[in-house]
Amino acid sequence: MSMHTISARRTSSNQVMPIRRDLKFQLPADKVTTWHRGSEHLSHFVNTFSLFLPSGERFFIDAVRAYRYRVEDPVLKEEVMAFIAQEAMHGREHRALNDVFIAAVPEAEGIERFVTRLLAWLKHNAPRSYRLSGTIALEHFTAILADQVLSDPRVLEGADPRYAAMLRWHALEETEHKAVAFDVWETVMGRGSRAYVLRCGGLLVATVVFWGIAIPSFLRVLRARGKLGDRAGWRLFKRHFVTETRFLPNLVKPWATYFRPDFHPWDHDNRHVLSQLDTVLGEGAY
Ligand SMILES: [Fe+2]
Ligand SMILES: [Fe+2]
C-alpha cells in the first residue's frame, strides 16, 4: 500500500489526538494490598500487571522513537510526540504504585527486575522491527483491556477511588493513542505480506511471553501473602473477572481481530468512552 493510501486510511478512521496530562494520583500506600473490594486476589492481579509497566512503557517509547525520523505526516508526528509524553506519565504513576506495592510485598521487586532486564536485553538484541511489532501487539492488548475497564463500570466497582481514577486515566489515554504506534508501523512497514507475518508473529510471541510471566508472577505474589490457598479469595476472583464482568473471557475475541489482514485499531470505534475523561479527571487526580 502506498504512503498516500495509508494516510487516507488514518484520516478517515482516526482523528483522536492524544493529549499529555501531567497528573499525580497519590495512591494511599496502606491500601495497596486491598484497594480493590478489599480483596488481595483482585488487587494483586492489577498490581502484578503494573510491575510490567514502567519498563514496558519505556520500551514502547524507544521502539516508536527508533522510527520517528521516518514519519513525515505532520499529524502523525504530533501524535507520536503525544504518545511518548503519555507513556512517560503512565510510567511515572505506575512507578509510584510499584514502589508502594514493593514496600508491602518485597517479593514483587524480583518480578519487576526480571521484566526490566528482559526488556533491556530485547532493546539491545532484537531488531527494531521486532520491537515495534511487539509494541503494537501490546498496545492492541492494552487497548482491549482499556476498552473493558471503560465500557463496563463493574470492573472497577468497589475499588478505592484513587486507584480506580489512576487506572481509568491510563485506560482513557491508552484508548486515545491506541493507533499511534500502529500507524508508525504501517508508515514504515507498509501492509504487505511480510508486514502481516511480522505483525501477527509479534502478537503471538507477546501474548505467550506476557501471560507466561504474568500468571506465575501473580501466583508468586499471592503465595508471598499466604493467599494462594484462600478459596474465598479465588471464588471472588472468578466471580469478578470470569463470570460477572467476563473481563478475562472477553479478551479473546477482540484479541483475534488483529489477525485480519486489514486490521486497524480504530476499526473498533470506541471514541464514545473518551467522554468519561472529565469525570475521571475531576474525581481522582490531585
Ligand atoms: Fe500506557
Ligand atoms: Fe500505550
Side-chain angles (χ1 to χ4, degrees):
M1 177 178 266
S2 71
M3 289 284 290
H4 176 75
T5 330
I6 289 166
S7 317
R9 196 155 99 105
R10 290 188 56 245
T11 24
S12 63
S13 58
N14 163 22
Q15 271 310 311
V16 176
M17 177 57 72
I19 299 166
R20 174 186 186 273
R21 301 177 185 87
D22 184 0
L23 300 178
K24 293 197 170 97
F25 291 85
Q26 295 175 8
L27 305 173
D30 58 333
K31 300 236 174 91
V32 72
T33 59
T34 53
W35 61 266
H36 201 349
R37 294 175 64 176
S39 159
E40 296 224 19
H41 285 70
L42 298 190
S43 309
H44 292 319
F45 186 63
V46 181
N47 292 344
T48 305
F49 179 59
S50 177
L51 293 174
F52 289 66
L53 291 173
S55 51
E57 311 271 19
R58 186 78 244 161
F59 182 87
F60 301 162
I61 291 171
D62 290 340
V64 169
R65 210 177 244 157
Y67 282 111
R68 191 160 62 164
Y69 73 100
R70 298 268 303 270
V71 175
E72 284 168 13
D73 177 340
V75 178
L76 184 54
K77 268 187 174 176
E78 205 182 320
E79 287 172 351
V80 165
M81 294 286 286
F83 167 85
I84 292 172
Q86 285 193 336
E87 296 295 37
M89 293 295 116
H90 303 164
R92 185 190 71 191
E93 290 310 291
H94 281 275
R95 171 80 270 131
L97 168 54
N98 295 356
D99 287 344
V100 290
F101 179 36
I102 288 166
V105 185
E107 291 79 359
E109 191 174 16
I111 300 169
E112 189 180 33
R113 204 179 316 121
F114 174 75
V115 173
T116 306
R117 281 192 188 148
L118 174 69
L119 293 173
W121 185 87
L122 286 171
K123 186 185 167 186
H124 293 108
N125 294 283
R128 61 181 180 163
S129 57
Y130 285 34
R131 288 189 280 123
L132 189 59
S133 167
T135 297
I136 59 172
L138 289 164
E139 284 287 289
H140 176 55
F141 182 60
T142 48
I144 300 168
L145 295 176
D147 188 44
Q148 292 214 63
V149 165
L150 299 171
S151 53
D152 186 348
R154 292 174 305 174
V155 172
L156 285 173
E157 203 171 71
D160 174 89
R162 294 201 193 185
Y163 284 86
M166 196 271 256
L167 294 165
R168 287 204 177 100
W169 158 73
H170 193 170
L172 283 160
E173 294 195 349
E174 286 306 319
T175 306
E176 277 185 331
H177 76 225
K178 69 176 176 174
V180 176
F182 189 91
D183 288 336
V184 171
W185 170 266
E186 288 208 330
T187 302
V188 296
M189 302 296 288
R191 296 179 65 207
S193 50
R194 183 174 173 270
Y196 176 74
V197 170
L198 203 51
R199 172 168 79 75
C200 295
L203 183 65
L204 293 172
V205 172
T207 303
V208 170
V209 171
F210 174 77
W211 288 110
I213 301 172
I215 295 169
S217 300
F218 176 47
L219 299 178
R220 192 170 151 197
V221 168
L222 289 179
R223 194 176 54 222
R225 299 291 297 166
K227 297 283 178 189
L228 202 52
D230 173 2
R231 287 186 177 201
W234 281 114
R235 269 199 299 276
L236 176 63
F237 180 85
K238 187 176 164 218
R239 201 167 65 232
H240 188 75
F241 283 121
V242 182
T243 49
E244 261 173 26
T245 62
R246 295 194 53 77
F247 186 82
L248 291 172
N250 281 348
L251 297 176
V252 180
K253 226 168 137 187
W255 176 86
T257 59
Y258 197 76
F259 295 101
R260 285 189 202 137
D262 62 346
F263 168 84
H264 186 273
W266 284 110
D267 292 344
H268 175 55
D269 187 352
N270 60 343
R271 273 175 286 191
H272 62 278
V273 299
L274 298 174
S275 64
Q276 297 176 33
L277 266 164
D278 291 344
T279 332
V280 169
L281 302 184
E283 264 171 14
Y286 297 88

